[in-house]
Amino acid sequence: MFRLLGLLAGLAGVTDLGTGGQPDESLHRCVLAARLADAAGCDPDETRDTVLVSLLQHVGCTAYSFESGRVFGDDRAVTRAFLMADPSSLTDLLGTFVPRVAEATGRSRPAVAVNLARTLPTTAREAPVATCEVAQEAGRRLGLSTSAQQALGHMTAMWNGKGFPRARGDQIPLPARIMHVAAAATMFWELGGEEAATAQVRRRSGGELDPALADLFLANPAGLLAGLDGSDPFAMVLAAEPDPVERVDDERMLEVARTFGDLVDLKSPWLHGHSGAVARLARGAADALDLSEAAQVEVAGYLHDVGRAGVPSRIWDIPREWTTTERDQARLHAHHTERVLARVPELAGVGELAAAHHERCDGSGYHRGLRADRLPIGARVLAAADAWRTLVEDRPHRPGLDEQRARQRLEADVRAGRLDADAVEAVLHASGDRTRRPAATAGLTARQLEVLRLVTRGLSNREIATRLSISPRTVDRHVADVYTRIGVSSRAAAALYAVEHGLLEPDPPGRSG
C-alpha cells in the first residue's frame, strides 16, 4: 500500500515544470494552504480537500499548452506570466505579461504585445475553460472526493465573479478560495519574500481573492510562512494531511501514473496517447520475458515522459527536423523525468527505469550515456517500446512508419548494438497482439469520431472542413454534438476523454493518433 499524498506530492513537480514555477512551489503552496485552512477553522474533510487541491492547483497546466506555444513560442512562460499578473487589472496584465514573455522567448516587446492583443479575447475565453475542465477530470481519475473535484474545477474563478466559472464569493468552494490566497502569497514570497507576498495579497483582496481569507493571511504572514525556506517541504506536506491518511494499492497507483502520463501528453496533439501506448506495449513485452519487475515497467511506461512538461510545447510541434539547439532542449525531458520521480520514495525503482528510456546499450543514448552493463532489462524493454511507438506514430515532420519498416529500423538498431535483442524481440511480439478490447465509441457516429480525432490533433474547424471536404458549418455542428455527447467543452478535455476511452486511431497497422 502507498500513501496517496506522497505519490501526488512527488508528482506535483510535473506541474512546477509545466508552469515555469520555482522548485517545490506546489509543496510550499500546499503547506501554506493547510495552515490557512487550520486558521480558518476548517474541519478535517475541508482541510484534506484543501491540501489536495492546493497541491494539484496546476494539474490542468498542459490543457492550453499547444495553443499558447503556437502563438508565443513558450507555453511555460505564458502560463507563468498570466499567473503573476493581477487578473482584475488589464494594466497589470500588460505590464507583467509582455516583458516576461519577451524575455523568455527572445521576441521583442512590441511583437509580444501585438500577439497578446490579437489572441487575448480567444485565450481569455478558451484557456480557463480548458484548464478547469482538465483539472476537474484529473481529480476524478485520481479518485479525489467530489468536493475536491469541484474545487479543482474553480481554479480560475475569482471572488468578484470575473473569472471562470462565473461563480463569485461564497459560491466558489472554500478549498479553492484558500488555494487562491495561498497561491498568490507563495508565488510572490518565493520571488520577493514576505513583503512581496503581503503586498500582492493585499492588492488582490476583494478582486481575485476572498477578502476574509486574505485578511487571515495578512494578520500573521510571518507565522504562516514560517519554516518554508528551511525545512523539507515534502515532509511538511505529509504532516499536513489530517488523519486517517489515505493509502492506495498497486491498481490505484497505476491509475495515478496513467493520469499524469495522459496529462503531460496534452503538451502536443502529436503526443496524445503516447505514454499509455508505450506502457501497454512495455508491459506486454515484460510479461513475455517473464520479468519480475513487469509491473514497475508498466508504471514507468506511463511516467517516462512526464519531463516533457519542462520543455516548451513548441519543440514538439516543429514541422521539420530539429536543429542541434532544439534537439538539446528536447533531450532535457529525460533529465526532468528523473528529477520528478526521484522525489517519490514509492517510485524509486520506477524512476530508474523511466529516466533511462532514451539510453542505448552502446552508450549513444541520453541523458546519462549509460551502456548496457548499467541498464537493467526493464529499462531496455522500455527503451525498445518507446522507440517502436515513436516510429509508428505520426510526428509533425513525418508520417508514422508502417509495421514492416518500423520492424526493420528496430532490427537495425539491434545489429548496431543500440537496442537489446531480447527486448526488441519481446516488443515486436507484443506489438502484434490484437487481443485488446475494441474501444467503445460513446455513441458517436463514424463521422463524429473522425471529427473528434481531428479536433484532438489541434486542427481548427475550418481546417477540419477542408480535410473532410465538408462545410465549416457542418463541422461546427459535429463538434458541438461531440462535445455534448462526451460532456466536454474544450479541445484538451476532448483529447483526454478520447485517450482514456480508446477513441483515437487504433494501434498499428495504421496510425497512432
Side-chain angles (χ1 to χ4, degrees):
M1 297 289 285
F2 303 90
R3 190 167 172 182
L4 176 63
L5 189 61
L7 284 174
L8 298 182
L11 291 173
V14 174
T15 65
D16 291 338
L17 288 172
T19 58
Q22 299 294 316
D24 296 332
E25 181 175 319
S26 293
L27 304 184
H28 290 148
R29 180 177 62 245
C30 176
V31 173
L32 177 56
R35 292 173 176 178
L36 281 170
D38 184 60
C42 291
D43 64 37
D45 287 338
E46 290 173 325
T47 298
R48 180 176 291 103
D49 285 346
T50 298
V51 166
L52 290 167
V53 167
S54 300
L55 184 65
L56 298 173
Q57 177 194 6
H58 299 308
V59 73
C61 68
T62 55
Y64 211 67
S65 291
F66 169 66
E67 291 83 356
S68 296
R70 183 169 53 181
V71 173
F72 294 102
D74 189 336
D75 56 296
R76 302 164 307 154
V78 170
T79 300
R80 179 57 33 173
F82 273 126
L83 289 173
M84 293 190 65
D86 182 346
S88 63
S89 170
L90 180 59
T91 300
D92 190 64
L93 174 62
L94 292 172
T96 300
F97 185 92
V98 173
R100 287 191 65 87
V101 173
E103 181 181 2
T105 62
R107 302 182 179 188
S108 70
R109 293 191 180 190
V112 172
V114 168
N115 274 340
L116 178 63
R118 177 174 59 84
T119 60
L120 185 57
T122 300
T123 300
R125 182 178 66 252
E126 295 181 353
V129 175
T131 299
C132 291
E133 201 167 30
V134 167
Q136 187 164 356
E137 174 61 14
R140 181 193 68 80
R141 289 182 57 177
L142 293 171
L144 306 190
S145 68
T146 301
S147 55
Q149 294 174 39
Q150 291 172 343
L152 285 170
H154 286 74
M155 289 297 94
T156 58
M158 294 170 57
W159 175 261
N160 61 12
K162 295 183 179 180
F164 176 85
R166 292 297 182 185
R168 65 185 305 145
D170 292 341
Q171 295 172 335
I172 303 170
L174 179 58
R177 284 183 277 136
I178 295 174
M179 178 278 299
H180 291 148
V181 175
T186 301
M187 181 165 52
F188 287 96
W189 167 77
E190 291 190 335
L191 292 173
E194 182 184 325
E195 183 178 353
T198 55
Q200 287 293 330
V201 170
R202 184 176 293 110
R203 174 182 183 177
R204 299 174 187 224
S205 177
E208 177 187 358
L209 306 180
D210 180 335
L213 291 172
D215 287 345
L216 197 61
F217 171 77
L218 294 171
N220 184 26
L224 290 168
L225 293 168
L228 290 187
D229 57 351
S231 303
D232 178 8
F234 188 85
M236 295 172 77
V237 166
L238 296 183
E241 183 180 18
D243 288 327
V245 299
E246 186 172 1
R247 298 189 180 277
V248 297
D249 56 18
D250 289 346
E251 182 176 351
R252 189 168 172 199
M253 185 185 74
L254 191 66
E255 181 56 31
V256 170
R258 181 184 297 118
T259 299
F260 272 86
D262 287 349
L263 290 172
V264 173
D265 285 352
L266 291 179
K267 285 281 285 189
S268 167
W270 300 97
L271 302 175
H272 293 164
H274 173 77
S275 295
V278 169
R280 291 188 297 271
L281 181 58
R283 178 60 190 262
D287 284 340
L289 291 170
D290 198 25
L291 300 186
S292 59
E293 66 266 39
Q296 284 191 330
V297 169
E298 183 177 9
V299 176
Y302 285 117
L303 295 175
H304 75 285
D305 270 345
V306 293
R308 288 188 194 264
V311 177
S313 60
R314 176 189 67 85
I315 295 296
W316 312 115
D317 300 320
I318 294 173
R320 53 167 171 74
E321 294 286 349
W322 285 324
T323 65
T324 299
T325 298
E326 290 163 350
R327 183 177 295 106
D328 288 344
Q329 284 186 279
R331 288 185 170 189
L332 283 173
H333 80 277
H335 164 72
H336 292 321
T337 292
E338 181 177 58
R339 169 185 155 193
V340 168
L341 298 183
R343 295 299 305 272
V344 192
E346 296 87 347
L347 298 178
V350 166
E352 180 184 1
L353 300 178
H357 72 279
H358 279 296
E359 302 290 358
R360 293 296 182 259
C361 295
D362 63 351
S364 64
Y366 61 92
H367 66 294
R368 294 191 178 279
L370 303 179
R371 301 182 69 86
D373 60 338
R374 297 185 61 189
L375 294 173
I377 183 59
R380 302 183 201 185
V381 167
L382 183 59
D386 178 68
W388 170 266
R389 288 302 312 179
T390 300
L391 288 170
V392 300
E393 291 170 2
D394 292 339
R395 289 293 182 262
H397 63 288
R398 50 86 177 156
L401 301 182
D402 60 43
E403 198 170 71
Q404 181 179 359
R405 291 174 63 201
R407 175 185 289 269
Q408 291 171 348
R409 290 281 294 274
L410 287 196
E411 290 172 343
D413 281 340
V414 169
R415 291 192 298 273
R418 290 185 287 269
L419 292 175
D420 180 87
D422 291 338
V424 166
E425 182 180 356
V427 163
L428 293 176
H429 174 77
S431 71
D433 183 2
R434 304 288 184 249
T435 62
R436 287 180 56 196
R437 178 177 59 83
T441 61
L444 301 177
T445 66
R447 175 64 87 185
Q448 288 171 335
L449 279 172
E450 197 171 16
V451 169
L452 172 60
R453 288 165 181 160
L454 293 174
V455 166
T456 65
R457 293 293 293 267
L459 274 67
S460 68
N461 287 9
R462 186 169 296 278
E463 289 170 332
I464 294 172
T466 300
R467 177 76 63 89
L468 300 181
S469 299
I470 57 180
S471 72
R473 181 171 298 181
T474 299
V475 174
D476 292 344
R477 187 177 70 250
H478 281 318
V479 172
D481 289 345
V482 168
Y483 280 12
T484 297
R485 190 170 294 276
I486 66 177
V488 304
S489 306
S490 64
R491 181 200 62 80
L496 199 60
Y497 181 96
V499 169
E500 182 183 11
H501 294 86
L503 298 179
L504 297 182
E505 296 288 349
D507 285 349
R511 291 286 183 262
S512 162

